[in-house]
Every structure is written in C-alpha cells, then in structure tokens.
C-alpha cells in the first residue's frame, strides 16, 4: 500500500480523470481494495435543523432567502425533535448523523448553544455526529469538538476560479479558513463539491486538486450531482451523466485513497446499476433517508434492498479512529 500524497499536480489529476473509463474504474477499484474493506459502505443521515432564510446567494441552493422556491423555512428545531430523528436514523442503520443549518456562519448565541446540546446528546447515542453550519471560528470549532462533534462538513463546491460564478457573498479563502479551523480542532473534515453547475472539466479537476493538496486530505469527500431546483439560478442546468459522476468518484478515490468518498445528492436520478458502478469506482459512503436537507433522496427501504442485492454492508461507526468517549458528564442546561 503506497502512502498518500499531498503534492498532486493538476496535470497528473487531469491524466487520471481522462483515463479510458474501464481503466479508470479498475484502477480506482484496486486502490479502494488496498485501503478499505470491500463492500463496506458508510450510511449517513442528514437532517436540516434550520431551513431556509439564508443570507448567502449560492446559485444551487433553494434555501437562499433571495430565491423564490418552494422550500418552507423553519427556525432551529428543538433538541428533542433532532434527537428523536437521530434515534430513528440509528435504528434504520445509519452510523453518522449530520445536522445542517442554513446559516452563513455560526454566531455565538442561544441557537449555537442549542446546537451544542444537540451534538452532546446525539453523541451519547453512539452515532458519529456531524454538523454543517456555515463558517466557523477556531473557538467555535473547539466548542463543537468539546461537545463531542466527530465531523464537520464544509464543501468547496467547485474550483477557486469558478467559485465567483456560483457564490458572490463569500470567498473561497473563507471556505479554506473554516476547513483549517475544523482541522485544528481535531475534528474530522468532510469536504467535497457539486458537479453540473455549468463548470468545465478544468474546474472539476481544480476542486479535486485543492482538496488533495490540503495539508491533510479530508476524511470524507462528498461528490454531489446538482439537483436543479426551480426558482434558483441553476434551475435550468442539464443533469450530469452518471459517467461524469463516476469519473469524479474514481479520481477522488485514487488521489485521496483513505477518504470516504460519498455518493451524495443526485442518487434519486440513478438506477441501482448506475449506483453499483459508482461503488465499483470507489464510492463507499451514502446519505440515507428520504431527504437531503431539502431535495429528495432514496428511502431507507430502497437502500436496504440495494445493499442486499449488491452484497454491501453498512460500515460500523467510529471505524478507523479510536472511539472517542461520549461526553458522559454532560447535563442539559435547559430543554
Ligand atoms: S448552501 Fe448553505 S450557505 Fe449557501 S445559500 Fe444554501 S444554506 Fe445558505
């Protein structure tokens, strides 16, 4: 097993990305088997704990307040609802529970205090707790870590060059700064992007280059296919083909071999056969449950049947990392 590399050049990644497809899948599958148990897939559940009304202008997102979409905004959910959802996700076989809030950034207020309590309680359930809450300071990242947060999702979305075409309300460096704060707090990093937003192949490779040349690779790399939503600036984007997804997944697998590569948004438009090819190409993580924040996703039962058919098994929680003690001293401040 060769060590991981953080010095990939764009040319090398381009060469991998453009390999003949069957060769690419074979190479990615080989790397996958060197670093991961075959047939093991991480099952994560994502819950929107605060929906809509976001001040940012991400062109793909129906939660931006400035776009007129069918998303029903709601304030931060109460802790009991969130913990109840986490319990259901665990019963259905998820090992990671990710809580997403449509915030530009985390603010030090009562809402953040409530999220901290949610993290503490979900951690107590023995689930890997993940959050995606927007930009974070170093102190906030540490606070989340102390509460038992296992992973933080903050996607780069696309290449640095194409970023301004998709989002104008923040910069690429802001994303990278938050990732650095998460890493510094010793929280597992989850960062990937979306394809199908009108970007070129060069942009896709650019994003993979940035991720794979970070001082440490993200532990999770979600690869999303844009789900165009009416009312957003990207509503008319054509759907990406499965072959493009496979190229992204396989390239990510080869250049970041230890990462969990997540086949994320866009699965509802894929057949079981297409998803099987993505798993062959090195995807080993999915989101389960009917919804991904606001867009549809296959339900648990559909995925259970697919796992059975393909001989896949869910990956245990905290695998590959020492189990961290749940924050057992935690006492709820209020409920
Ligand atoms: S992706 Fe996140 S930051 Fe961007 S508009 Fe949607 S909720 Fe806001």
């Amino acid at each position: 097993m060769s060590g991981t590399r953080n010095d990939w050049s764009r040319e090398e990644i381009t060469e991998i990305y453009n390999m003949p497809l069957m060769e690419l899948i074979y190479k990615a599958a080989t790397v996958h088997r060197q670093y991961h148990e075959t047939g093991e897939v991480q099952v994560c559940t994502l819950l929107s704990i605060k929906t809509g009304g976001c001040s940012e202008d991400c062109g793909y997102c129906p939660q931006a307040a400035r776009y007129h979409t069918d998303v029903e905004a709601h304030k931060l959910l109460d802790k009991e609802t969130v913990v109840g959802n986490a319990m259901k996700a665990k019963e259905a076989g998820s090992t990671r529970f990710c809580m997403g809030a449509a915030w530009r950034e985390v603010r030090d207020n009562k809402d953040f205090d409530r999220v901290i309590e949610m993290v503490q309680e979900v951690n107590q359930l023995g689930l890997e707790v993940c959050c995606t809450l927007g930009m974070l300071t170093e102190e906030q990242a540490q606070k989340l870590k102390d509460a038992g947060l296992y992973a933080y999702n903050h996607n780069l979305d696309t290449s640095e060059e194409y970023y301004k075409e998709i989002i104008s309300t923040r910069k690429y460096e802001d994303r990278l700064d938050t990732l650095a704060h998460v890493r510094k707090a010793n929280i597992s990093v989850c960062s990937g992007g979306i394809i199908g937003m009108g970007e070129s192949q060069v942009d896709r490779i650019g994003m993979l280059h940035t991720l794979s040349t970070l001082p440490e690779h993200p532990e999770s790399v979600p690869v999303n296919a844009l789900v165009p939503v009416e009312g957003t600036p990207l509503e008319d984007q054509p759907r990406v083909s499965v072959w493009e997804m496979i190229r992204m997944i396989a390239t990510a697998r080869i250049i970041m071999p230890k990462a969990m590569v997540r086949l994320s948004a866009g699965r509802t438009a894929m057949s079981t056969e297409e998803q099987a090819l993505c798993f062959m190409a090195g995807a080993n993580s999915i989101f389960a449950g009917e919804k991904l924040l606001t867009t549809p996703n296959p339900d648990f039962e559909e995925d259970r049947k697919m796992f059975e058919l393909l001989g896949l098994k869910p990956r245990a929680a905290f695998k590959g990392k020492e189990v961290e003690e749940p924050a057992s001293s935690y006492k709820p401040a209020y409920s």
Side-chain angles (χ1 to χ4, degrees):
M1 193 190 293
S2 60
T4 56
R5 285 180 52 193
N6 300 66
D7 61 350
W8 293 100
S9 67
R10 284 193 183 220
E11 293 68 34
E12 284 175 304
I13 299 172
T14 307
E15 208 172 295
I16 295 170
Y17 186 93
N18 285 318
M19 279 167 78
L21 197 69
M22 290 300 123
E23 278 305 307
L24 178 61
I25 295 174
Y26 178 75
K27 183 154 176 57
T30 308
V31 172
H32 190 183
R33 275 153 187 72
Q34 284 170 340
Y35 285 84
H36 300 271
E37 206 167 304
T38 322
E40 208 176 62
V41 175
Q42 179 189 48
V43 182
C44 318
T45 294
L46 177 58
L47 175 71
S48 181
I49 58 169
K50 183 265 171 186
T51 305
C54 181
S55 60
E56 299 286 80
D57 69 349
C58 309
Y60 52 83
C61 181
Q63 301 203 63
R66 65 192 73 200
Y67 308 141
H68 301 290
T69 65
D70 287 343
V71 163
E72 257 180 60
H74 67 73
K75 292 194 172 141
L76 186 65
L77 296 176
D78 60 59
K79 190 183 63 186
E80 288 68 26
T81 307
V82 172
V83 175
N85 272 276
M87 285 163 123
K88 271 194 226 148
K90 188 179 177 182
E91 276 162 29
S94 280
T95 52
R96 177 173 289 198
F97 188 71
C98 184
M99 303 182 272
W103 287 330
R104 174 175 203 271
E105 76 244 292
V106 169
R107 302 229 168 103
D108 295 307
N109 57 18
K110 286 212 153 158
D111 278 355
F112 185 44
D113 293 344
R114 200 191 301 170
V115 171
I116 292 286
E117 292 187 4
M118 292 172 186
V119 170
Q120 288 166 326
E121 295 217 3
V122 176
N123 183 42
Q124 293 279 346
L125 299 175
L127 287 161
E128 294 177 5
V129 197
C130 174
C131 280
T132 179
L133 312 168
M135 293 182 271
L136 278 184
T137 63
E138 249 181 81
E139 293 70 32
Q140 290 162 342
Q142 192 54 52
K143 225 170 157 182
L144 284 163
K145 172 71 183 174
D146 294 342
L149 190 79
Y150 188 81
Y152 195 80
N153 164 266
H154 202 61
N155 289 334
L156 290 182
D157 294 336
T158 187
S159 67
E160 183 164 8
E161 295 77 12
Y162 196 64
Y163 201 70
K164 58 185 180 315
E165 306 297 327
I166 302 296
I167 298 139
S168 72
T169 46
R170 58 170 188 263
K171 297 198 188 84
Y172 212 63
E173 294 123 68
D174 297 328
R175 297 309 262 185
L176 294 170
D177 287 348
T178 292
L179 290 181
H181 299 156
V182 171
R183 181 58 81 200
K184 195 167 176 204
N186 204 17
I187 295 169
S188 175
V189 171
C190 172
S191 187
I194 308 171
I195 63 169
M197 302 193 293
E199 75 288 339
S200 66
Q201 181 186 299
V202 172
D203 293 312
R204 293 178 188 176
I205 288 162
M207 181 187 80
L208 290 172
H209 179 252
T210 304
L211 290 169
S212 63
T213 54
L214 288 171
E216 277 181 72
H217 294 164
E219 281 80 2
S220 303
V221 179
V223 180
N224 295 279
L226 177 76
V227 178
V229 180
E230 209 181 313
T232 62
L234 299 181
E235 64 182 355
D236 293 325
Q237 279 299 317
R239 295 259 178 172
V240 292
S241 76
V242 68
W243 310 117
E244 294 167 277
M245 280 297 274
I246 289 170
R247 283 199 183 276
M248 280 301 281
I249 287 168
T251 309
R253 166 56 61 228
I254 293 165
I255 62 176
M256 294 174 277
K258 287 186 183 164
M260 304 301 293
V261 177
R262 185 169 308 130
L263 173 56
S264 301
R267 277 205 304 129
T268 35
M270 285 185 185
S271 65
T272 303
E273 292 85 341
E274 290 172 338
Q275 293 183 63
L277 275 170
C278 292
F279 294 127
M280 274 187 77
N284 61 348
S285 177
I286 56 165
F287 275 125
E290 287 150 20
K291 259 195 179 179
L292 283 187
L293 294 179
T294 59
T295 53
N297 194 50
D299 66 18
F300 283 114
E301 184 51 22
E302 241 175 273
D303 283 334
R304 195 195 56 74
K305 284 188 195 146
M306 177 175 74
F307 271 48
E308 202 175 296
L309 180 75
L310 302 179
L312 301 174
K313 56 177 190 294
R315 181 186 204 252
F318 306 105
K319 202 175 164 188
K321 196 169 180 187
E322 269 181 27
V323 180
E324 299 190 7
E325 285 297 314
S328 53
S329 56
Y330 163 64
K331 300 269 181 310
Y334 55 87
S335 58

